[in-house]
Amino acid sequence: MKENFQSSGWLLINKPEGVESFGVIRRLKFRYSFHKIGFAGTLDPLASGLLLIGINKATKKIPDIHKEKKSYKLEVRFGAATSTLDSEGRFLQMKPITHNIDDRIFHLKNFIGRYQQKIPNYSAHKLNGKNFYELARKNQIIEDRYKQVSIYKLKILYSNISRIGIEIDCQTGFYVRAFAEELAKSLGDIAYASRIKRLKIGAFSLKQALAYEKILDFSGTNDLHSHLITI
């Protein structure tokens, strides 16, 4: 029998790869009854990291929290391109890597600030009431569309001939998967996002997050309340 959970606040979860954001919500709703529950910013199934869940009255603050700056760790794999721009899609092309890795710093600096980013075909952006990914799955032609995005900071974590790890501080609405392709294109090569991890949303950090596996062991409302940042 579900337990009624009355408290309001934020639950920070470290979502692993392979778990849907809505799957985390479903797991909590299976165990507890909430007045309202939702999250600030979906993570793709193959992305990991911070999932910020608003419970009860905290859900009213989700639109404001969603506008906050976000931080990600991105691994770019050069030499291949996929249909979804990440490791979930089918491989479209493979080619030898031709650029000099020392040129990466210069090209990364060019992305800092505002620019027009192409909206990925596999995204929740809507056209005539349909999500782009719905059209893409039906192999319908999608006209290129762009949106203004901002990158505040880029930090190289590691770099070798086939991969680069980057920490990105960006505006909400930034397509992290698309950035892998953009960087590669600027270098004259192809690439896809092999790993994405969200590190921060505003003042909330992955360091504060509870491992997803822990919520599977929750046995009562006290377990949930003890990990809640109450409001």
Side-chain angles (χ1 to χ4, degrees):
M1 187 174 182
K2 291 184 181 181
E3 293 189 64
N4 192 25
F5 192 80
Q6 298 285 348
S7 299
S8 296
W10 301 102
L11 180 65
L12 281 63
I13 298 295
N14 185 356
K15 188 191 85 66
E17 294 179 3
V19 175
E20 292 184 345
S21 297
F22 283 104
V24 180
I25 296 291
R26 283 194 294 268
R27 180 66 196 183
L28 290 167
K29 290 175 75 172
F30 178 79
R31 185 69 182 82
Y32 305 102
S33 177
F34 304 99
H35 177 61
K36 283 188 176 181
I37 187 171
F39 50 79
T42 306
L43 280 174
D44 292 335
L46 292 186
S48 64
L50 179 60
L51 186 66
L52 180 58
I53 298 174
I55 293 175
N56 295 329
K57 292 180 181 179
T59 57
K60 295 180 181 179
K61 298 181 180 293
I62 286 177
D64 293 329
I65 294 293
H66 186 59
K67 296 174 185 176
E68 297 281 349
K69 181 175 74 174
K70 296 178 173 67
S71 297
Y72 295 88
K73 181 158 55 173
L74 166 68
E75 182 180 83
V76 179
R77 183 162 186 176
F78 295 99
T82 73
S83 58
T84 57
L85 309 182
D86 60 14
S87 54
E88 186 176 14
R90 69 184 187 278
F91 284 98
L92 300 176
Q93 185 182 5
M94 300 186 75
K95 59 176 282 191
I97 299 164
T98 59
H99 72 272
N100 187 324
I101 64 172
D102 293 331
D103 292 337
R104 292 175 182 175
I105 295 177
F106 171 76
H107 286 264
L108 281 169
K109 287 180 179 178
N110 288 337
F111 284 100
I112 296 175
R114 294 182 181 180
Y115 72 97
Q116 294 292 316
Q117 185 179 50
K118 181 184 173 184
I119 299 171
N121 288 351
Y122 282 88
S123 70
H125 187 81
K126 290 186 181 294
L127 177 65
N128 298 326
K130 295 285 188 179
N131 291 313
F132 269 27
Y133 66 80
E134 294 176 299
L135 302 175
R137 287 171 181 167
K138 295 178 181 178
N139 294 319
Q140 295 185 23
I141 297 173
I142 303 173
E143 182 182 343
D144 288 351
R145 298 208 170 195
Y146 295 81
K147 64 180 292 188
Q148 182 173 277
V149 296
S150 293
I151 292 179
Y152 306 115
K153 182 181 176 182
L154 292 169
K155 179 182 178 182
I156 296 177
L157 303 174
Y158 55 87
S159 183
N160 57 49
I161 187 61
S162 62
R163 301 171 192 261
I164 185 171
I166 310 164
E167 188 171 319
I168 305 172
D169 291 351
C170 58
Q171 172 192 26
T172 187
F174 180 79
Y175 291 104
V176 181
R177 286 178 293 123
F179 185 69
E181 181 185 55
E182 291 171 330
L183 175 61
K185 187 176 181 180
S186 75
L187 290 161
D189 274 313
I190 59 174
Y192 67 95
S194 52
R195 285 187 178 177
I196 298 173
K197 177 179 282 190
R198 186 156 61 201
L199 305 176
K200 291 181 181 178
I201 302 175
F204 298 103
S205 171
L206 181 60
K207 294 177 182 178
Q208 303 167 272
L210 179 71
Y212 169 71
E213 292 76 15
K214 294 289 186 181
I215 69 173
L216 305 180
D217 298 328
F218 283 0
S219 59
T221 56
N222 287 339
D223 290 331
L224 177 53
H225 193 275
S226 65
H227 294 286
L228 197 70
I229 300 176
T230 56
I231 61 170

